[in-house]
C-alpha cells in the first residue's frame, strides 16, 4: 500500500487528485504537494478524515489553504480516534503530524496553526528542531511549539539581579 508520495510542483494536481488519493490510500503517511496551487482546504480535510496515519505534510505555496484545513487536521484526531485520545498523551512522537511545511501559505491564521501545534507537540518551531516550517508567513510569527513556550516562561521566571 502507498505510504509516501511526492507530488511537489505538479502544476495540474488539484483537489480531485488529492482527494482521490486520500480516499484510496488510507495508509498514507507522508505527502508532499508543495507548489500544487490548485489544492484547497477540501483536500487537506479529506486527508485529515481518511489518512489517519499521516505524519508528514508539505504544502509550500498553498495560497488556497486556510484556517479551515488546520482546524480539520487538529480535530481529526479527536473525531476519528475518540477512544485513543486519552491514551495518546504520552505518545505524541509515535502518531500524528510530526512534520508540516506551510511556508508561503499566507491565508493561514495564527490561532489555527497554534491549535495544530498544541495538538501535535511533535511539531516544533524551536531552534534546531524546525518540524513546523512557516517561513514567509509573517502573520504566523506568534506561533510557537511547547518547547519555545516553556523556554520563554523559564526565562521570565528567572529572577534578574539589579545592577
Amino acid at each position: 500500500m502507498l505510504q509516501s508520495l511526492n507530488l511537489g510542483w505538479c502544476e495540474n494536481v488539484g483537489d480531485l487528485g488529492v482527494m482521490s488519493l486520500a480516499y484510496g490510500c488510507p495508509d498514507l503517511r507522508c505527502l508532499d504537494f508543495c507548489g500544487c496551487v490548485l489544492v484547497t482546504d477540501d483536500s487537506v480535510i479529506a486527508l485529515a478524515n481518511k489518512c489517519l496515519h499521516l505524519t508528514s505534510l508539505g504544502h509550500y505555496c498553498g495560497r488556497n489553504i486556510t484556517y479551515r484545513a488546520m482546524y480539520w487536521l487538529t480535530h481529526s484526531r479527536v473525531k476519528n480516534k475518540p477512544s485513543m485520545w486519552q491514551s495518546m498523551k504520552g505518545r505524541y512522537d509515535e502518531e500524528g503530524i510530526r512534520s508540516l511545511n506551510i511556508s508561503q501559505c499566507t491565508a493561514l491564521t495564527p490561532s489555527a496553526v497554534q491549535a495544530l501545534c498544541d495538538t501535535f507537540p511533535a511539531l516544533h518551531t524551536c531552534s534546531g528542531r524546525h518540524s513546523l516550517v512557516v517561513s514567509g508567513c509573517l502573520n504566523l510569527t506568534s506561533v510557537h511549539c511547547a518547547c519555545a513556550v516553556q523556554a520563554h516562561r523559564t526565562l521570565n521566571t528567572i529572577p534578574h539581579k539589579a545592577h
Side-chain angles (χ1 to χ4, degrees):
M1 291 194 182
L2 185 65
Q3 291 186 354
S4 181
L5 183 62
N6 184 343
L7 296 171
W9 304 102
C10 293
E11 296 174 359
N12 294 325
V13 170
D15 284 335
L16 181 62
V18 176
M19 291 169 68
S20 296
L21 188 65
Y23 287 97
C25 301
D27 288 331
L28 193 64
R29 294 178 189 323
C30 301
L31 179 60
D32 184 341
F33 51 100
C34 292
C36 298
V37 295
L38 301 176
V39 173
T40 71
D41 287 341
D42 293 337
S43 290
V44 178
I45 291 168
L47 290 164
N49 285 322
K50 298 299 180 184
C51 300
L52 304 180
H53 303 289
L54 196 63
T55 60
S56 179
L57 192 58
H59 195 44
Y60 176 82
C61 285
R63 290 175 253 167
N64 298 315
I65 301 298
T66 71
Y67 69 94
R68 286 182 53 235
M70 297 301 103
Y71 280 126
W72 270 95
L73 282 172
T74 299
H75 295 292
S76 66
R77 173 171 285 175
V78 178
K79 182 179 176 216
N80 291 321
K81 301 180 182 183
S83 61
M84 283 183 56
W85 185 246
Q86 290 300 321
S87 65
M88 291 303 293
K89 288 182 180 177
R91 296 176 41 198
Y92 290 117
D93 289 335
E94 294 175 27
E95 291 199 27
I97 304 293
R98 293 183 291 199
S99 176
L100 180 64
N101 182 351
I102 50 175
S103 298
Q104 303 294 329
C105 294
T106 55
L108 295 173
T109 62
S111 59
V113 177
Q114 186 64 58
L116 188 69
C117 201
D118 293 344
T119 301
F120 299 106
L123 288 175
H124 290 278
T125 58
C126 56
S127 179
R129 295 178 82 179
H130 294 281
S131 59
L132 175 60
V133 183
V134 295
S135 60
C137 300
L138 298 178
N139 61 326
L140 299 181
T141 57
S142 64
V143 175
H144 296 289
C145 65
C147 298
V149 170
Q150 183 59 37
H152 179 72
R153 285 183 186 150
T154 301
L155 285 174
N156 286 337
T157 58
I158 297 173
H160 298 284
K161 296 182 179 183
H163 297 294

